[in-house]
Amino acid sequence: MKTITLNSPFDMHLHLRDNDMLELVAPLSSSSFVGAIIMPNLVPPVSTKQEVIEYKKRILNATKDDNFTPFMTLFFKAYTKEFLEDVKDEISAIKLYPAGITTNSEGGVESIDTVTLAPTLNAMAELNIPLCVHGETNGFVMDRESEFMSVYEELAIAFPKLTIIMEHITTKDAVDMLDKYDNLHATITIQHLMITLDDVAGGMLQPHLFCKPIAKRYEDREALQKVALEGHPKVMFGSDSAPHPKHAKENCGCAAGVFTSPIALQVLAQLFDDNNKLDNLQKFISDNACNIYNMKPLNKNITLEKKDFVVPSVYETSKEKVVPMYAAETISWSIVK
Ligand SMILES: [Zn+2]
């Protein structure tokens, strides 16, 4: 039986939500991963030290006895250096959302200009706090990420010491930016490695594959696969796994987000194996993240084997129900329990 053991697998972009949904989905991440960068877009967004500490506690409670570290983030606002110095040890990054661009981002930044943001971004650079960015304009939906590239360039040039993560990149344009600026890095999701807009809307509409940024063209997927499969040092895995209740997805007015936590490692093993690049998966799932975030690997190994895994059609508790990507389909790799 073909197997692979991954050391210290990280999910560098994860939505765990709160309350009943947190209880349902947190164990589905902590059984596959040793740690994750936790997104702060709750209602209200996580933006104080107290909120960070309390949310972290709720996550640790929900993951029970699993060996799992939530790396917390703050929702970007104009923060003072004094505040950042005080909160620094509790957080791993700050996440910037353009206002209103995705789920619970209404309080995001109205206009990203390097002069207004300078005090906060300079303090972050000095304190080595990375900036995670949801990089989309409010233009035409297929062009939003590409249109945002000029903003990334301005940020990269104006703040050369700031570690900037282009979150969930979906386009060849974003991939091309990686080698242009030393301080630009990226996360890539499962869905953007696996699907194009054709899978979402080319046939019957597939609400469980609908997310922001929306899946793009074949040439975009090819560019994303190339850097992931080669273990490019500036890209890391970030699932952007974003659970919504089943009724909010199968609805007139479908919420954006794909739920991938419980299938992520299995799909990645299959993708890397199919392309004869299994040896590079360790870089994509952990090593690159450690280098970019300047952190040490944690002590947890996950072994996968080439054995069929039938994805459950739904994950549920008595209070919540969420449908994963590839529901009821078969993946050719499974996690060894
Ligand atoms: Zn996200």
Side-chain angles (χ1 to χ4, degrees):
M1 178 87 62
K2 202 173 190 179
T3 65
I4 182 173
T5 296
L6 301 171
N7 170 238
S8 188
F10 288 121
D11 181 348
M12 301 306 284
H13 183 131
L14 177 63
H15 298 270
L16 286 179
R17 313 302 191 201
D18 214 344
N19 306 314
D20 295 335
M21 186 59 92
L22 172 67
E23 297 296 320
L24 169 59
V25 300
L28 299 171
S29 278
S30 62
S31 57
S32 295
F33 296 90
V34 71
I37 295 278
I38 310 296
M39 290 298 137
N41 54 334
L42 303 181
V43 186
V46 179
S47 63
T48 68
K49 187 177 177 181
Q50 200 55 31
E51 285 164 352
V52 167
I53 291 171
E54 283 168 9
Y55 187 31
K56 185 175 181 176
K57 252 190 226 160
R58 296 198 296 278
I59 294 168
L60 287 171
N61 275 335
T63 56
K64 306 199 172 75
D65 295 334
D66 277 337
N67 169 9
F68 182 80
T69 304
F71 297 102
M72 306 307 291
T73 61
L74 284 170
F75 191 90
F76 187 95
K77 282 183 180 177
Y79 293 115
T80 64
K81 192 171 173 201
E82 293 67 40
F83 169 81
L84 292 176
E85 271 171 341
D86 181 48
V87 77
K88 183 179 174 317
D89 291 342
E90 302 295 336
I91 60 166
S92 296
I94 296 180
K95 174 75 184 285
L96 187 154
Y97 294 88
I101 207 72
T102 191
T103 308
N104 303 336
S105 64
E106 290 72 21
V109 176
E110 288 291 346
S111 104
I112 301 178
D113 87 88
T114 52
V115 177
T116 318
L117 302 184
T120 307
L121 295 181
N122 281 324
M124 287 171 63
E126 252 177 78
L127 298 168
N128 290 317
I129 302 171
L131 175 73
C132 301
V133 182
H134 182 118
E136 287 195 291
T137 65
N138 56 7
F140 178 64
V141 69
M142 286 294 278
D143 298 335
R144 286 176 187 177
E145 183 174 287
S146 294
E147 285 175 2
F148 199 86
M149 289 303 126
S150 59
V151 179
Y152 278 131
E153 295 210 77
E154 281 170 31
L155 289 170
I157 293 166
F159 307 99
K161 295 221 160 69
L162 179 67
T163 297
I164 301 167
I165 323 280
M166 302 187 285
E167 294 295 337
H168 44 55
I169 60 172
T170 63
T171 56
K172 182 175 182 305
D173 290 343
V175 169
D176 291 343
M177 290 292 285
L178 286 168
D179 293 324
K180 268 177 100 174
Y181 298 95
D182 283 348
N183 55 338
L184 283 186
H185 309 80
T187 55
I188 304 180
T189 73
I190 293 284
Q191 65 267 25
H192 296 117
L193 287 172
M194 301 305 292
I195 66 171
T196 68
L197 186 60
D198 265 354
D199 297 287
V200 185
M204 287 180 49
L205 189 67
Q206 300 299 317
H208 297 290
L209 299 179
F210 172 66
C211 65
K212 301 280 181 69
I214 198 152
K216 304 290 189 316
R217 297 175 172 80
Y218 288 88
E219 56 267 36
D220 296 308
R221 181 176 66 175
E222 196 182 316
L224 296 167
Q225 284 193 359
K226 182 173 179 295
V227 282
L229 289 166
E230 76 186 22
H232 189 295
K234 297 181 91 180
V235 302
M236 50 198 161
F237 176 63
S239 69
D240 195 16
S241 182
H244 289 282
K246 188 168 187 277
H247 64 80
K249 293 292 285 178
E250 298 171 5
N251 185 321
C252 177
C254 165
V258 181
F259 180 56
T260 55
S261 295
I263 61 149
L265 291 185
Q266 298 92 323
V267 173
L268 287 174
Q270 177 179 282
L271 174 70
F272 278 64
D273 183 34
D274 287 350
N275 288 278
N276 292 315
K277 289 282 191 281
L278 215 42
D279 288 348
N280 286 341
L281 183 51
Q282 177 63 35
K283 294 180 197 158
F284 185 58
I285 205 72
S286 185
D287 298 358
N288 295 344
C290 288
N291 292 332
I292 294 165
Y293 273 82
N294 197 15
M295 55 190 212
K296 293 200 174 66
L298 300 175
N299 185 20
K300 181 165 166 181
N301 292 335
I302 297 285
T303 299
L304 295 111
E305 60 187 349
K306 193 165 185 178
K307 182 179 155 197
D308 282 357
F309 163 55
V310 181
V311 179
S313 53
V314 69
Y315 288 89
E316 59 188 321
T317 58
S318 57
K319 293 182 182 127
E320 285 287 3
K321 208 179 247 197
V322 59
V323 177
M325 186 181 181
Y326 294 133
E329 292 182 40
T330 302
I331 299 168
S332 59
W333 281 76
S334 357
I335 292 177
V336 179
K337 299 283 175 198

